[in-house]
Amino acid sequence: MKPILVTLLSFIVCNCRAQNILGFKAGVGFSPTYLKAIVPTPGCEGYYLRKLSDRLAVGAAMRIERYSFTKKIADLGSTPFLEALSVNQKSTYLYLSPKTEIAIGRRQNIKAALSFGAGKLLGGKQTTVLGSTTTTHGNPLTGNNPYSYLASTKENTENSISNLILGFQFSLSECFAAKGRYRYSLFEEFSFIPGYVSKPQGHINYALNRKELFIRTTYLSCGICIAYKYKHLKVR
């Protein structure tokens, strides 16, 4: 009976001292994999953490990431057959992820965080530019000779955007101000996506460079984070 009582009292004491953290971060990012032009996109995250020790906290996060990139694949006229020249995608994903945060330094003003989870497609647009060399037939009665010309068309390929992907995020944050239970920080984050954000569908599968249409990307972002710390109510 005594060991059980000691264990119960220990749990109550830890519960009284346990500290929760609610946080919200927002900023802008871009996909650095295909840098035809840097197109900043907004993103945000809300998270809940519970401290397991003075420096370690675990919890969960809900985040939104938006990707915008153009991947160049080939030049117009490089082949006489139907071929994808480039792919342009803009997509938005919602992630649900477990999250771990570690405080660094004597004053714990620097935090390193790691999270991973599944991302569900909320919506997106994708177009694929197709190019080919077209040959006309001459008219022997008028003396017109056959000739070739280059042409390109845009095709809607939204059905190629992956509906579900996995993402790993690593971030660093630096506290620049604190007031009461609020902490204000700047953060920098790197997201790694091991799967494909786009996979070819439909007749475009017959393009000579089909393997180039399986597209991966990464994501870099930075912004501001606001965190609020509070303790559990005492158990009586």
Side-chain angles (χ1 to χ4, degrees):
M1 184 64 182
K2 187 175 180 179
I4 297 177
L5 182 59
V6 172
T7 303
L8 182 59
L9 289 175
S10 298
F11 174 78
I12 292 175
V13 172
C14 291
N15 196 40
C16 292
R17 295 181 178 179
Q19 198 173 53
N20 291 344
I21 302 172
L22 289 176
F24 178 79
K25 52 198 292 187
V28 295
F30 64 95
S31 301
T33 307
Y34 313 107
L35 286 180
K36 180 179 180 181
I38 295 179
V39 181
T41 56
C44 62
E45 174 184 294
Y47 62 89
Y48 164 83
L49 299 173
R50 181 171 180 179
K51 298 193 73 172
L52 298 183
S53 68
D54 186 46
R55 294 182 179 272
L56 177 64
V58 297
M62 179 182 293
R63 62 188 292 110
I64 292 178
E65 286 188 0
R66 299 189 65 184
Y67 309 129
S68 178
F69 59 83
T70 297
K71 181 181 181 181
K72 181 181 178 181
I73 299 175
D75 294 314
L76 184 63
S78 59
T79 174
F81 303 100
L82 181 68
E83 183 177 10
L85 304 179
S86 63
V87 176
N88 184 286
Q89 184 188 124
K90 294 181 179 180
S91 56
T92 304
Y93 285 88
L94 172 67
Y95 287 89
L96 297 176
S97 310
K99 185 182 181 75
T100 302
E101 185 179 82
I102 300 176
I104 302 173
R106 183 172 63 86
R107 296 185 178 181
Q108 302 185 15
N109 285 333
I110 299 177
K111 303 286 182 67
L114 179 66
S115 62
F116 66 93
K120 176 69 170 62
L121 179 67
L122 296 182
K125 296 181 179 180
Q126 180 172 294
T127 56
T128 300
V129 178
L130 303 176
S132 64
T133 303
T134 303
T135 302
T136 66
H137 297 283
N139 189 340
L141 297 179
T142 60
N144 292 333
N145 296 321
Y147 66 94
S148 299
Y149 66 95
L150 304 179
S152 64
T153 59
K154 288 185 178 181
E155 181 172 328
N156 185 343
T157 53
E158 289 183 9
N159 59 346
S160 295
I161 304 177
S162 298
N163 188 55
L164 191 68
I165 57 177
L166 291 177
F168 296 81
Q169 294 85 28
F170 173 77
S171 67
L172 287 175
S173 61
E174 305 83 27
C175 178
F176 64 85
K179 185 175 181 180
R181 295 185 179 184
Y182 290 91
R183 292 173 63 89
Y184 305 89
S185 306
L186 299 176
F187 75 88
E188 307 82 35
E189 187 168 76
F190 170 75
S191 295
F192 170 69
I193 304 169
Y196 298 104
V197 294
S198 179
K199 293 180 285 187
Q201 302 288 337
H203 72 271
I204 202 172
N205 287 343
Y206 298 101
L208 294 180
N209 47 12
R210 180 175 181 270
K211 64 180 182 179
E212 295 289 338
L213 301 178
F214 287 87
I215 299 174
R216 289 189 174 100
T217 189
T218 54
Y219 188 71
L220 294 176
S221 60
C222 60
I224 296 178
C225 175
I226 301 175
Y228 173 75
K229 297 182 178 181
Y230 66 97
K231 295 182 180 180
H232 277 296
L233 294 176
K234 293 184 178 181
V235 180
R236 297 181 179 178

